[in-house]
Amino acid sequence: MRIWLSIFVFAFALGAQGQEGDTAVVAEDFSMYADAELAGDAKRFCTSKVFDQSPNKLISLGYDFQGGHDLLIGVAEPLRVQAVHGIRLGSNFPVISKTNLLLNVGINYWEANYQIEKAENHPLARSLQNRGLRTTGVTATVFKPFNDKNFIFAQSVFDLNGDYYLPDFQSLTYTRVSGTVIYGWKKHDRLLYGFGVSRTYRIGEANYIPVFMYNYTAPSRKWGVESVFPARANLRRTFNARTLAFFGYELEGQTYRLSSLRGFDNIMNPELRRSELRIRFTFERSLKDFIWVSAQAGLRYNWSFNVDDGDFFRGFGNQPYALENDLSNALFFNVSVNLVSP
Amino acid sequence: MKRKTAFSALFSIIFIAAAWGQTQADAILGVWESGNGKARIKIDKAGDKYTGRIVWLREPNDEAGKPKVDKNNPEEALRTKPLLGYSMLKGFSYKGEKTWEDGTIYDPESGSTYSCTITMTDDNTLDVRGYIGVSLFGRTDVWKRVVVKKK
């Protein structure tokens, strides 16, 4: 008898527990949850984003196209470049995702294929036409908040740039390392900024520059700025959470090893210092749930297309380049499909 | 007499084990603050499933000074629903080892719903992993338990 009584009490207790959960949902005074504190010795930390910032792209599959322009190599007659085009693949996965530490790691692959008229007239044009340019890289990004206001942002990039083909890969000894460290403040949910330094190849050759991060969303939540000066800056228009537009620029650059460039006695290790300023409109929209499409169009302004002998830091010196070249400006577009992060 | 004692002991063990399992499963109940500190979520139990509702927002009003609504919801009919009280966690079941699975999490800032797994790393911390399809395509947010001061 006592056993059956126990079973009855146990079953009633379980039932009552379920009932309690259900009824708790019905009516509640939400104001009571305003006066609360974190349990234990937990701390609050600031996050890496401001309101309405564009979503992190886990995977990106894109295509980049530059229209016709002239290539002036040294003092030779200009050559006509009909197009420069290629795929751009990117990834950026959160490896550590804690409130007090974020670590993202990504792998990128970009290519630029050149279509040049009369490319056989110059070794550099021939090299570009036959081999194109490729970048394969690994990026690691760390966001380390110290409290709810201050943080450090650090990024290191390991790139292999050159005229290699994937089956005939370039030696890893030619890996180019760039990096950025920024100390910042998150003033509130709509404003984040920071100052730092960067070792960068964005102007083609290795350089060390100060950088300024500034991400802001206006109180209206319709406009904002996303920038890391001088690398990139964008004015953002938020139509809704799934439709964004940007206007701004990005300085893109790398130094590329040209193993197929022959015919110059004074250049033992030719490196193309390619750098371009892209002034552009960008439109991003969620196609369905986590699949976003991005379309970009604008002007590609040439910053550098010179050739040096080896990888070195020129600083503020005025050493001449081994081969001084110029590109006229061109229109470009870029389209990509992206899987965005939760 | 011996048989009766053995039966009572067996029943006691089953009872204690069931109660212990229930305690472990219900450890998730309570009020939690999201990693960005913008919201507090109360996790309740409905039947044998665990759900979570937004009970506090750091910025409860929109730019016009009105209570925020679920304006990013892909279903137009739900865009006027207040965010306060909104069920953002649904359908979680306890799977043992301090893990709750088979649920979804809704992100009001993007209007997207993700698959979700919750793991309790200590009594006051939840790792809430939202993901797309497979866990690799996801992100973990760390939630902290909050203690509501009684008035």
Side-chain angles (χ1 to χ4, degrees):
Chain A
M1 181 63 189
R2 259 187 295 178
I3 291 168
W4 291 113
L5 188 66
S6 300
I7 292 172
F8 175 74
V9 169
F10 178 55
F12 181 78
L14 283 181
Q17 206 166 11
Q19 286 290 317
E20 195 181 358
D22 288 339
T23 49
V25 173
V26 176
E28 202 145 23
D29 174 17
F30 289 119
S31 66
M32 66 185 284
Y33 299 107
D35 193 13
E37 59 187 26
L38 293 179
D41 55 357
K43 278 174 66 177
R44 290 188 178 91
F45 296 97
C46 58
T47 59
S48 60
K49 287 193 159 192
V50 296
F51 276 154
D52 305 327
Q53 198 169 325
S54 51
N56 177 36
K57 297 176 174 79
L58 292 174
I59 298 175
S60 178
L61 311 173
Y63 176 76
D64 192 82
F65 180 93
Q66 286 184 25
H69 55 276
D70 292 331
L71 165 61
L72 183 65
I73 305 174
V75 292
E77 279 292 301
L79 297 173
R80 185 67 183 164
V81 180
Q82 292 172 323
V84 181
H85 63 97
I87 58 169
R88 292 186 171 193
L89 311 177
S91 63
N92 188 26
F93 289 100
V95 176
I96 299 174
S97 185
K98 303 285 185 188
T99 46
N100 62 350
L101 181 66
L102 296 176
L103 169 63
N104 281 24
V105 175
I107 298 172
N108 304 300
Y109 174 76
W110 287 14
E111 61 180 36
N113 301 301
Y114 286 78
Q115 293 175 0
I116 306 173
E117 291 175 7
K118 299 177 185 172
E120 65 280 4
N121 286 357
H122 195 279
L124 176 59
R126 197 159 53 238
S127 168
L128 292 170
Q129 169 87 5
N130 293 339
R131 305 288 289 265
L133 301 173
R134 283 166 183 75
T135 292
T136 308
V138 176
T139 303
T141 308
V142 172
F143 179 83
K144 171 64 187 167
F146 299 108
N147 48 46
D148 60 351
K149 292 284 179 215
N150 304 101
F151 65 87
I152 277 187
F153 169 91
Q155 186 175 67
S156 53
V157 183
F158 303 86
D159 279 328
L160 204 58
N161 314 299
D163 58 356
Y164 56 87
Y165 282 104
L166 283 180
D168 182 21
F169 214 60
Q170 185 166 295
S171 166
L172 295 179
T173 56
Y174 295 105
T175 302
R176 305 301 179 214
V177 181
S178 49
T180 302
V181 177
I182 293 172
Y183 184 83
W185 293 261
K186 186 161 187 184
K187 301 302 282 186
H188 49 74
D189 287 335
R190 295 181 294 98
L191 175 62
L192 172 156
Y193 59 82
F195 301 91
V197 291
S198 180
R199 171 189 160 84
T200 178
Y201 285 91
R202 285 181 185 270
I203 59 165
E205 57 215 49
N207 209 336
Y208 298 86
I209 56 169
V211 291
F212 175 52
M213 176 187 274
Y214 182 80
N215 293 333
Y216 172 72
T217 297
S220 68
R221 305 281 296 268
K222 289 178 180 170
W223 296 94
V225 174
E226 296 181 17
S227 61
V228 183
F229 291 105
R232 77 182 77 89
N234 282 297
L235 179 67
R236 181 189 66 238
R237 173 74 167 92
T238 304
F239 298 101
N240 56 54
R242 291 163 179 262
T243 311
L244 308 171
F246 303 87
F247 176 70
Y249 77 89
E250 172 138 21
L251 188 60
E252 283 185 4
Q254 273 297 355
T255 179
Y256 297 85
R257 176 176 160 73
L258 299 179
S259 62
S260 63
L261 183 62
R262 300 277 187 272
F264 296 94
D265 294 338
N266 61 329
I267 310 175
M268 305 304 291
N269 293 296
E271 297 254 350
L272 176 67
R273 314 296 202 205
R274 180 191 188 213
S275 173
E276 52 196 41
L277 183 69
R278 291 180 166 223
I279 302 160
R280 74 237 175 142
F281 280 105
T282 307
F283 181 77
E284 295 190 348
R285 182 172 171 77
S286 166
L287 280 183
K288 182 167 172 49
D289 297 334
F290 328 106
I291 311 292
W292 282 57
V293 65
S294 173
Q296 201 174 84
L299 178 76
R300 191 273 295 136
Y301 173 81
N302 179 56
W303 191 271
S304 167
F305 207 72
N306 300 319
V307 175
D308 258 334
D309 189 14
D311 180 34
F312 58 89
F313 174 56
R314 179 174 266 101
F316 296 104
N318 57 355
Q319 305 100 308
Y321 290 93
L323 203 56
E324 295 200 358
N325 314 308
D326 198 10
L327 291 174
S328 62
N329 302 322
L331 298 176
F332 79 96
F333 72 83
N334 181 305
V335 290
S336 64
V337 179
N338 309 282
L339 181 71
V340 306
S341 171
Chain B
M1 183 65 182
K2 268 185 182 174
R3 250 170 75 183
K4 211 171 177 181
T5 309
F7 189 71
S8 294
L10 183 65
F11 177 76
S12 299
I13 290 167
I14 293 170
F15 181 87
I16 291 166
W20 172 250
Q22 200 58 44
T23 305
Q24 291 271 301
D26 289 352
I28 197 173
L29 299 178
V31 183
W32 303 85
E33 188 169 294
S34 62
N36 56 23
K38 292 179 190 171
R40 290 176 187 153
I41 297 95
K42 185 171 187 227
I43 297 182
D44 289 308
K45 192 175 181 185
D48 59 346
K49 300 286 186 188
Y50 295 86
T51 59
R53 294 171 304 123
I54 299 169
V55 293
W56 176 85
L57 290 166
R58 190 163 65 200
E59 291 189 9
N61 298 327
D62 62 16
E63 55 274 15
K66 294 179 178 171
K68 280 184 178 171
V69 292
D70 188 21
K71 65 176 184 179
N72 296 319
N73 199 303
E75 287 186 47
E76 205 168 336
L78 297 175
R79 288 179 192 162
T80 53
K81 196 171 177 182
L83 278 186
L84 214 53
Y86 201 98
S87 281
M88 63 178 294
L89 297 176
K90 287 179 181 171
F92 287 84
S93 300
Y94 185 62
K95 299 293 182 181
E97 297 183 352
K98 297 184 177 180
T99 302
W100 291 258
E101 294 179 349
D102 302 336
T104 59
I105 185 167
Y106 176 73
D107 177 9
E109 289 191 7
S110 66
S112 297
T113 301
Y114 304 91
S115 301
C116 185
T117 295
I118 302 175
T119 306
M120 183 174 269
T121 55
D122 64 52
D123 289 348
N124 298 319
T125 308
L126 296 179
D127 277 3
V128 180
R129 184 161 185 84
Y131 58 92
I132 306 161
V134 291
S135 184
L136 175 69
F137 298 143
R139 184 176 68 85
T140 302
D141 195 25
V142 180
W143 291 9
K144 294 290 182 185
R145 191 188 289 277
V146 294
V147 179
V148 178
K149 294 177 184 172
K150 289 180 180 163
K151 290 180 180 173

